[in-house]
PDB file of all heavy atoms in Angstrom:
ATOM      1  N   ILE A 190     127.326 118.169 106.277  1.00  0.00           N
ATOM      2  CA  ILE A 190     127.984 117.559 107.389  1.00  0.00           C
ATOM      3  C   ILE A 190     127.123 116.574 108.090  1.00  0.00           C
ATOM      4  O   ILE A 190     127.506 115.594 108.775  1.00  0.00           O
ATOM      5  CB  ILE A 190     128.353 118.642 108.489  1.00  0.00           C
ATOM      6  CG1 ILE A 190     129.495 118.009 109.349  1.00  0.00           C
ATOM      7  CG2 ILE A 190     127.309 119.239 109.116  1.00  0.00           C
ATOM      8  CD1 ILE A 190     130.733 117.703 108.691  1.00  0.00           C
ATOM      9  N   GLU A 191     125.834 116.689 107.792  1.00  0.00           N
ATOM     10  CA  GLU A 191     124.784 115.706 108.354  1.00  0.00           C
ATOM     11  C   GLU A 191     124.600 114.366 107.597  1.00  0.00           C
ATOM     12  O   GLU A 191     123.980 113.408 108.139  1.00  0.00           O
ATOM     13  CB  GLU A 191     123.439 116.447 108.491  1.00  0.00           C
ATOM     14  CG  GLU A 191     123.506 117.628 109.511  1.00  0.00           C
ATOM     15  CD  GLU A 191     123.183 117.083 110.972  1.00  0.00           C
ATOM     16  OE1 GLU A 191     122.951 115.963 111.228  1.00  0.00           O
ATOM     17  OE2 GLU A 191     123.353 117.966 111.824  1.00  0.00           O
ATOM     18  N   LEU A 192     125.010 114.483 106.367  1.00  0.00           N
ATOM     19  CA  LEU A 192     124.583 113.409 105.453  1.00  0.00           C
ATOM     20  C   LEU A 192     125.035 112.060 105.861  1.00  0.00           C
ATOM     21  O   LEU A 192     124.311 111.060 105.791  1.00  0.00           O
ATOM     22  CB  LEU A 192     125.102 113.701 104.045  1.00  0.00           C
ATOM     23  CG  LEU A 192     124.572 115.015 103.534  1.00  0.00           C
ATOM     24  CD1 LEU A 192     125.033 115.186 102.082  1.00  0.00           C
ATOM     25  CD2 LEU A 192     123.031 115.202 103.597  1.00  0.00           C
ATOM     26  N   LYS A 193     126.359 111.888 106.374  1.00  0.00           N
ATOM     27  CA  LYS A 193     126.889 110.490 106.598  1.00  0.00           C
ATOM     28  C   LYS A 193     126.264 109.998 107.910  1.00  0.00           C
ATOM     29  O   LYS A 193     126.092 108.737 108.167  1.00  0.00           O
ATOM     30  CB  LYS A 193     128.355 110.490 106.739  1.00  0.00           C
ATOM     31  CG  LYS A 193     129.011 110.797 105.341  1.00  0.00           C
ATOM     32  CD  LYS A 193     130.563 110.741 105.487  1.00  0.00           C
ATOM     33  CE  LYS A 193     131.157 110.878 104.009  1.00  0.00           C
ATOM     34  NZ  LYS A 193     132.646 110.892 104.042  1.00  0.00           N
ATOM     35  N   ASP A 194     125.899 110.943 108.885  1.00  0.00           N
ATOM     36  CA  ASP A 194     125.210 110.450 110.099  1.00  0.00           C
ATOM     37  C   ASP A 194     123.935 109.882 109.645  1.00  0.00           C
ATOM     38  O   ASP A 194     123.503 108.947 110.317  1.00  0.00           O
ATOM     39  CB  ASP A 194     125.111 111.581 111.009  1.00  0.00           C
ATOM     40  CG  ASP A 194     126.397 111.947 111.716  1.00  0.00           C
ATOM     41  OD1 ASP A 194     127.256 111.184 111.792  1.00  0.00           O
ATOM     42  OD2 ASP A 194     126.478 113.064 112.422  1.00  0.00           O
ATOM     43  N   MET A 195     123.110 110.434 108.772  1.00  0.00           N
ATOM     44  CA  MET A 195     121.840 109.984 108.403  1.00  0.00           C
ATOM     45  C   MET A 195     122.062 108.601 107.639  1.00  0.00           C
ATOM     46  O   MET A 195     121.215 107.685 107.739  1.00  0.00           O
ATOM     47  CB  MET A 195     121.135 110.925 107.533  1.00  0.00           C
ATOM     48  CG  MET A 195     120.653 112.132 108.294  1.00  0.00           C
ATOM     49  SD  MET A 195     119.456 113.155 107.437  1.00  0.00           S
ATOM     50  CE  MET A 195     120.492 114.206 106.479  1.00  0.00           C
ATOM     51  N   ILE A 196     123.126 108.471 106.807  1.00  0.00           N
ATOM     52  CA  ILE A 196     123.372 107.121 106.191  1.00  0.00           C
ATOM     53  C   ILE A 196     123.600 106.077 107.247  1.00  0.00           C
ATOM     54  O   ILE A 196     122.999 104.991 107.198  1.00  0.00           O
ATOM     55  CB  ILE A 196     124.556 107.242 105.227  1.00  0.00           C
ATOM     56  CG1 ILE A 196     124.305 108.218 104.045  1.00  0.00           C
ATOM     57  CG2 ILE A 196     124.974 105.880 104.719  1.00  0.00           C
ATOM     58  CD1 ILE A 196     125.373 108.506 103.187  1.00  0.00           C
ATOM     59  N   ARG A 197     124.367 106.376 108.227  1.00  0.00           N
ATOM     60  CA  ARG A 197     124.618 105.463 109.285  1.00  0.00           C
ATOM     61  C   ARG A 197     123.294 105.117 110.058  1.00  0.00           C
ATOM     62  O   ARG A 197     123.173 103.938 110.599  1.00  0.00           O
ATOM     63  CB  ARG A 197     125.661 105.868 110.393  1.00  0.00           C
ATOM     64  CG  ARG A 197     127.089 105.889 109.851  1.00  0.00           C
ATOM     65  CD  ARG A 197     128.238 106.273 110.853  1.00  0.00           C
ATOM     66  NE  ARG A 197     128.213 107.655 111.022  1.00  0.00           N
ATOM     67  CZ  ARG A 197     129.086 108.486 110.317  1.00  0.00           C
ATOM     68  NH1 ARG A 197     129.883 107.916 109.450  1.00  0.00           N
ATOM     69  NH2 ARG A 197     129.136 109.803 110.492  1.00  0.00           N
ATOM     70  N   ALA A 198     122.437 106.054 110.086  1.00  0.00           N
ATOM     71  CA  ALA A 198     121.126 105.699 110.836  1.00  0.00           C
ATOM     72  C   ALA A 198     120.201 104.813 109.922  1.00  0.00           C
ATOM     73  O   ALA A 198     119.254 104.223 110.439  1.00  0.00           O
ATOM     74  CB  ALA A 198     120.472 107.053 111.205  1.00  0.00           C
ATOM     75  N   GLY A 199     120.474 104.908 108.646  1.00  0.00           N
ATOM     76  CA  GLY A 199     119.670 103.969 107.665  1.00  0.00           C
ATOM     77  C   GLY A 199     118.818 104.636 106.785  1.00  0.00           C
ATOM     78  O   GLY A 199     117.779 103.905 106.291  1.00  0.00           O
ATOM     79  N   VAL A 200     118.933 105.966 106.350  1.00  0.00           N
ATOM     80  CA  VAL A 200     118.068 106.466 105.430  1.00  0.00           C
ATOM     81  C   VAL A 200     118.509 105.742 104.125  1.00  0.00           C
ATOM     82  O   VAL A 200     119.511 105.304 103.859  1.00  0.00           O
ATOM     83  CB  VAL A 200     118.262 107.976 105.167  1.00  0.00           C
ATOM     84  CG1 VAL A 200     117.885 108.792 106.374  1.00  0.00           C
ATOM     85  CG2 VAL A 200     119.727 108.386 104.850  1.00  0.00           C
ATOM     86  N   VAL A 201     117.424 105.557 103.291  1.00  0.00           N
ATOM     87  CA  VAL A 201     117.593 104.847 102.033  1.00  0.00           C
ATOM     88  C   VAL A 201     118.415 105.693 100.994  1.00  0.00           C
ATOM     89  O   VAL A 201     118.968 105.008  99.945  1.00  0.00           O
ATOM     90  CB  VAL A 201     116.303 104.306 101.446  1.00  0.00           C
ATOM     91  CG1 VAL A 201     115.575 103.593 102.422  1.00  0.00           C
ATOM     92  CG2 VAL A 201     115.423 105.458 100.923  1.00  0.00           C
ATOM     93  N   GLY A 202     118.490 106.878 101.061  1.00  0.00           N
ATOM     94  CA  GLY A 202     119.190 107.842 100.148  1.00  0.00           C
ATOM     95  C   GLY A 202     118.730 109.234 100.443  1.00  0.00           C
ATOM     96  O   GLY A 202     118.199 109.463 101.602  1.00  0.00           O
TER      97      GLY A 202
END
Side-chain angles (χ1 to χ4, degrees):
I190 197 68
E191 295 277 350
L192 303 183
K193 289 183 179 178
D194 284 342
M195 286 192 279
I196 292 172
R197 283 188 281 268
V200 297
V201 302

